[in-house]
Amino acid sequence: MPEFEPWFTAAHALLRPPLAAWFNWHFEGLENIPRSGPLLVAGNHISYFDPLADAYLLVKAGRKARFLAKSELFDSPLRPMLNGAKQIPVTRGSGSSAPLDAAKQALLDGEAVVVYPEATTTRDEEFLPMKGKVGVARLALDAQVPVLPMAVWGSQRVWQRSGARDLRFGRPIWVRAGTPMDLSEFEETKDDIATLRKVTELIMDELRRMVLDMRAAYPKKWA
């Protein structure tokens, strides 16, 4: 892992034991996560619980996640922890390039950056990935890094906008890291909006495929 970071270490010590004990975790694709160097993760977003699940898998691979998070969280009591753990604020609808610039710099520094291309929790009734925004494609092509698709299933029953939902002990939470997607063939036309849209669709199609596969195998008792 990178250098010692007090806020990350504190959050890890506080959150990991109860999360590990309460839920029935199922991790796949750990071998697909590089142990060092720049890592851009694109995830599906079905619950406010997802960052905890994705961060847990990354921690198991020895990585610390830098999330692009909505700026409202930085105006809450969580601000010291978010800043201390080097999370990246995003003011939605502002059009500012600052979040992508910060994320690109984090990648250039060899960090692991997590993006939710939908920019919100899904509104799909079946919790399938919706249309993604092109920021993830722009970031991948500008930083010249592959995209690691990461899918989670089961968390949609845990925490939604309305708050905590089904917190039964032992609920399965499945997290899968897919095969890194090499998008270097698109770098020469990275400023073309058609290219950005195509790359984004490729990423979202892979996330959708992974989610459908996980959903089909998920224990029916908990579905």
Side-chain angles (χ1 to χ4, degrees):
M1 286 189 183
E3 72 280 1
F4 173 71
E5 295 174 7
W7 277 106
F8 182 93
T9 302
H12 180 265
L14 179 67
L15 294 174
R16 184 172 180 176
L19 288 175
W22 192 261
F23 297 100
N24 181 11
W25 293 92
H26 177 75
F27 296 112
E28 299 178 27
L30 191 63
E31 69 280 1
N32 291 328
I33 303 175
R35 286 354 188 219
S36 62
L39 174 62
L40 177 56
V41 176
N44 67 319
H45 203 7
I46 54 178
S47 166
Y48 289 166
F49 190 76
D50 297 338
L52 295 175
D54 292 334
Y56 195 173
L57 179 53
L58 288 171
V59 164
K60 290 182 74 68
R63 304 303 302 262
K64 296 180 181 180
R66 313 302 189 196
F67 288 89
L68 272 75
K70 61 183 181 181
S71 59
E72 292 87 342
L73 292 174
F74 290 79
D75 296 325
S76 75
L78 294 174
R79 180 172 184 167
M81 182 179 70
L82 294 172
N83 285 330
K86 300 182 181 178
Q87 306 310 308
I88 302 170
V90 178
T91 302
R92 292 179 293 187
S94 70
S96 171
S97 65
L100 290 183
D101 292 342
K104 179 180 177 181
Q105 186 58 56
L107 290 170
L108 294 177
D109 291 341
E111 300 281 3
V113 174
V114 182
V115 176
Y116 295 115
E118 297 163 273
T120 185
T121 53
T122 183
R123 297 183 178 88
D124 184 86
E125 292 183 356
E126 297 185 352
F127 296 101
L128 297 177
M130 304 183 298
K131 183 177 181 179
K133 297 185 180 298
V134 300
V136 63
R138 192 183 304 278
L139 181 56
L141 299 181
D142 277 351
Q144 298 182 0
V145 295
V147 171
L148 181 81
M150 186 175 290
V152 60
W153 192 253
S155 62
Q156 72 272 22
R157 305 299 179 196
V158 176
W159 189 7
Q160 292 291 338
R161 290 184 178 87
S162 57
R165 302 182 75 179
D166 188 342
L167 292 176
R168 281 180 291 168
F169 177 78
R171 170 171 290 284
I173 304 293
W174 286 19
V175 194
R176 177 186 295 177
T179 303
M181 301 176 67
D182 181 358
L183 303 167
S184 57
E185 64 180 286
F186 299 102
E187 288 173 2
E188 290 187 2
T189 56
K190 65 179 182 179
D191 295 324
D192 187 338
I193 188 61
T195 294
L196 295 175
R197 173 50 53 196
K198 182 175 182 179
V199 169
T200 304
E201 288 174 354
L202 288 173
I203 295 168
M204 299 311 295
D205 285 348
E206 179 59 14
L207 285 172
R208 192 172 294 108
R209 184 196 67 77
M210 291 170 64
V211 168
L212 286 170
D213 185 57
M214 294 169 71
R215 185 178 72 172
Y218 191 77
K220 303 304 179 190
K221 169 187 174 181
W222 295 91

